[in-house]
Amino acid sequence: MTDFGFSILDLGLRFRMRFCLSAAMVFLAASAVFAQKETPPVGGQPKPFVFPAQENFTLPNGMKVTLVQYGSVPKVAIQAYIYTGTKDDSKGKKGVSQTTADMLKEGTKTRTSEEIARSMAEMGGSLNVGAGTDNTVIGGEVLSEFDVRFLTLVSDVIMNPNFRAGDLERLRANKLRQLAVASTQAQNVAWERFREMIFPDHPYGQVNPTDSEVKSYTLDDIRNFHLANYGAARTHLYIVGKFNAAAVRNIVEKAFSGWKAGAKQERNPPKTAVKRSFAKVDRPGAQQSTLYVGMPAPDQSDPDYVKFVVMDSILGGAFGSRITSNIREDKGYTYSPGSAVWTRYKTGYWYESADVKTENTGDSIKEILFEVNRMRTEPVSEAELQGIKNNMVGIYVLQNSSRFGVIGQLETMNYHELPKSFIDDYVKRVVSVTAADVQAMAKKYLTEDRMTIVVVGDLAKVNDQLKPYE
C-alpha cells in the first residue's frame, strides 16, 4: 500500500471504535427483547458435493476434451488450457509467453481484432486470454445458441494467429508501463523477492520480465514460441453449461483434428528453498512495511494437503483466523493480513502477507511467529475447528456453483494428476480433519528453520526492529 493506504487504515480503526460503541448501545437496548428468544437450532451435517457427469474423449492428435452439461441457464463456458507459460520462456526472453498470449486476440489470418470483438458482442460474451506460470487459457462464455460459432472462433484464435509488428509494439509499450507501475508497489516488490528466494534457479522464481527483456522481443520470438509450445498434445478443452452435445462434439472434431500434436509438455517441478532466509528492501519514506513470511508446504497431490489447508484457514487463511484477529483486530497493526497456500505441480509453499504500520513492523513479525508457534504447541478447540470446516465446505459448494467453477475444479484435478475422488470426496475429507491433524500439520511444516521472511519498508526506521529476525 501507499501513503493513501495508511490513511485508510487510520480511518478503518476510527470507524471500528465508533462501530463498537454504537453496537454496544444497541446490544444493551436489544438484550432485554431477545432474552426470551430460544437458542437457534444446530446446523445440519455438511453434505458431499456430487460433481455432474462428464463426457471425456481424446482426439487422434492428443487433444483432450471434457463436456459437462450443467445448470439450467442457457449459457455455455468454453475454455482451452494449453500447458505452456512462463516456465517455457527461454533465457533472456522472460515474458514472451505472456506477450504471445496477448497477441492472440489481435487477429487471425481471416479475422481482424475488430471482427473478433464484434462477433463476441453478437454472441453475448467476451473472449479472454491469459498466461501464467504453467498454463495459457483461452475462452469465455456465450449464450447457448452460439456454442458452435464460439467454438469455431476459439479454434481459429488458437491455431491461426496473425502476428503483426504494429500489435507487438503497442503491447510492448503497455507492458513497459505495467512494469513501471509494479516497481512502485511494495506488495509487488515483496512478492517478487519472496519468489526469488523460495524458488532459486527455477522459472517460478522470476515473476516479471525486466525492461530490457521486454524491449528485446521480436516477432520471430513470438512466432517461434507459438510454434514450439502451442499444440494439440498440450491442450485440454473444457465445455460446461447448456449446449448441443452432438453439434459441439462434431465441430470440435472438425475444427481441431487437423491441428498438429506438437511437443508434449515438460514438467520440471522445482525444489523449494528449505533453509532459514531473510531479506529486506529499502523503500525510503514508506509509512507502511510489507511483510511476507512463508515456508514450503504440501502440494495438492500430497495426502497432507487437505489437512494442511484446514490448518491454514485457522491460522491465517480465513477472515476470522488467528493471525488476522491478533494483528488486525486486537493490535491494529494492519488492515488486511492474510495467508494462502500456493501450489504448482509437485511443489508448494505457505505464506502470510500484510502491510503493517512502520512503527509496528517488528511487533507484527513477533505476533505472526507467536501464532505459528501456538498452532504447533496447543491443539485447537473443537468449536474453532468445526467453524472453519463449515466455512470451507460452504465455500467449496459456492465455488462449484458456476460453469467456470466446475471448469476450475476439473482443471485443478487434471493439472495435478489427481484421481476424480479428490473432488468427489473433498467435503468428506475436510469434515474428517481432527484437532490432532491440525496440530500435526503445524509441527510438520511450520518450522522456523525453513522460514523465509521478506520486509519492504523504510529501513532507516525499521532496521532496529528487524534485528531479532535477521
Side-chain angles (χ1 to χ4, degrees):
M1 280 193 193
T2 63
D3 298 347
F4 176 75
F6 185 65
S7 299
I8 292 294
L9 174 62
D10 276 348
L11 181 64
L13 291 172
R14 289 197 292 271
F15 173 79
R16 284 203 306 279
M17 292 176 65
R18 290 198 298 273
F19 175 79
C20 290
L21 289 173
S22 301
M25 295 174 66
V26 171
F27 174 77
L28 290 173
S31 59
V33 176
F34 289 98
Q36 304 301 319
K37 283 187 175 293
E38 296 180 359
T39 303
V42 177
Q45 291 296 315
K47 297 180 179 178
F49 183 88
V50 180
F51 253 77
Q54 307 153 45
E55 178 185 354
N56 297 300
F57 59 93
T58 303
L59 300 181
N61 56 15
M63 189 174 109
K64 296 178 179 177
V65 185
T66 297
L67 310 180
V68 181
Q69 293 286 353
Y70 184 74
S72 56
V73 177
K75 299 188 77 171
V76 59
I78 296 174
Q79 282 193 315
Y81 280 76
I82 302 172
Y83 296 113
T84 185
T86 56
K87 70 180 180 63
D88 296 316
D89 286 327
S90 58
K91 188 175 182 180
K93 296 290 184 182
K94 189 74 176 178
V96 163
S97 55
Q98 294 168 328
T99 299
T100 302
D102 291 340
M103 291 193 70
L104 295 180
K105 293 176 65 177
E106 300 302 322
T108 71
K109 291 181 171 55
T110 56
R111 291 178 170 91
T112 65
S113 60
E114 292 78 10
E115 288 171 334
I116 291 173
R118 189 183 311 119
S119 183
M120 291 306 305
E122 291 170 355
M123 289 186 275
S126 60
L127 180 68
N128 303 309
V129 179
T133 56
D134 297 66
N135 301 325
T136 296
V137 185
I138 303 153
E141 189 176 60
V142 298
L143 298 172
S144 295
E145 63 188 287
F146 300 115
D147 50 8
V148 168
R149 181 180 171 186
F150 184 39
L151 259 174
T152 304
L153 187 148
V154 168
S155 66
D156 190 31
V157 167
I158 293 173
M159 295 188 294
N160 305 307
N162 187 26
F163 298 128
R164 298 184 305 178
D167 297 326
L168 175 58
E169 292 310 314
R170 179 165 46 79
L171 293 174
R172 189 200 313 276
N174 289 341
K175 189 64 178 178
L176 290 171
R177 281 192 290 271
Q178 292 169 3
L179 292 175
V181 172
S183 68
T184 66
Q185 296 173 334
Q187 273 283 348
N188 282 311
V189 173
W191 177 241
E192 285 189 311
R193 188 74 186 96
F194 185 75
R195 285 271 291 272
E196 288 173 0
M197 297 168 69
I198 289 284
F199 297 118
D201 305 320
H202 190 276
Y204 290 171
Q206 187 179 353
V207 176
N208 289 311
T210 64
D211 284 5
S212 61
E213 284 177 313
V214 174
K215 291 175 182 175
S216 75
Y217 299 163
T218 66
L219 268 184
D220 281 343
D221 291 331
I222 304 299
R223 293 190 182 107
N224 290 338
F225 187 90
H226 184 268
L227 184 64
N229 297 289
Y230 283 55
R234 290 193 183 194
T235 301
H236 197 136
L237 179 68
Y238 298 90
I239 302 171
V240 175
K242 299 290 289 184
F243 55 89
N244 183 328
V248 160
R249 178 158 184 161
N250 179 58
I251 200 66
V252 166
E253 293 172 343
K254 182 179 179 182
F256 287 101
S257 289
W259 195 16
K260 292 183 179 178
K264 292 184 178 180
Q265 68 165 326
E266 295 182 5
R267 313 204 81 165
N268 176 30
K271 294 181 179 178
T272 52
V274 293
K275 63 180 182 180
R276 180 77 156 76
S277 55
F278 181 94
K280 51 190 179 184
V281 180
D282 196 14
R283 196 163 178 256
Q287 297 187 40
Q288 292 188 124
S289 297
T290 298
L291 308 179
Y292 269 78
V293 178
M295 54 205 85
D299 71 274
Q300 296 197 34
S301 66
D302 193 299
D304 285 344
Y305 177 73
V306 171
K307 291 181 284 190
F308 187 88
V309 172
V310 173
M311 185 278 299
D312 166 62
S313 298
I314 296 172
L315 180 59
F319 185 74
S321 62
R322 291 182 173 187
I323 293 177
T324 301
S325 297
N326 185 330
I327 63 175
R328 180 184 189 276
E329 303 298 333
D330 296 343
K331 307 293 192 311
Y333 296 161
T334 180
Y335 192 72
S336 55
S339 71
V341 187
W342 191 93
T343 65
R344 290 294 185 270
Y345 181 71
K346 303 298 182 186
T347 190
Y349 59 84
W350 172 88
Y351 69 94
E352 170 77 28
S353 69
D355 296 312
V356 304
K357 293 179 181 177
T358 294
E359 63 268 30
N360 298 122
T361 301
D363 295 333
S364 298
I365 298 175
K366 177 184 175 183
E367 293 303 324
I368 290 170
L369 298 184
F370 166 78
E371 294 296 351
V372 167
N373 187 57
R374 186 160 73 105
M375 188 66 72
R376 290 167 48 85
T377 55
E378 298 177 9
V380 299
S381 70
E382 286 301 321
E384 187 178 17
L385 177 60
Q386 190 60 50
I388 282 294
K389 291 195 293 188
N390 290 344
N391 182 55
M392 289 180 61
V393 170
I395 290 174
Y396 184 71
V397 173
L398 285 175
Q399 284 176 333
N400 299 330
S401 62
S402 71
R403 290 168 287 278
F404 287 119
V406 170
I407 291 176
Q409 290 294 341
L410 295 173
E411 168 53 25
T412 296
M413 179 183 73
N414 291 326
Y415 169 81
H416 289 281
E417 298 178 351
L418 304 172
K420 187 171 178 295
S421 59
F422 180 86
I423 54 177
D424 288 340
D425 297 339
Y426 182 82
V427 170
K428 184 166 64 176
R429 287 195 289 150
V430 169
V431 171
S432 68
V433 174
T434 66
D437 291 332
V438 169
Q439 190 172 10
M441 291 299 98
K443 285 184 175 179
K444 183 175 180 179
Y445 292 101
L446 304 185
T447 57
E448 288 198 34
D449 61 335
R450 304 196 306 167
M451 182 178 294
T452 296
I453 299 176
V454 173
V455 181
V456 177
D458 189 337
L459 298 185
K461 297 179 180 177
V462 303
N463 258 335
D464 288 344
Q465 300 178 50
L466 300 179
K467 286 180 180 176
Y469 311 104
E470 294 186 44

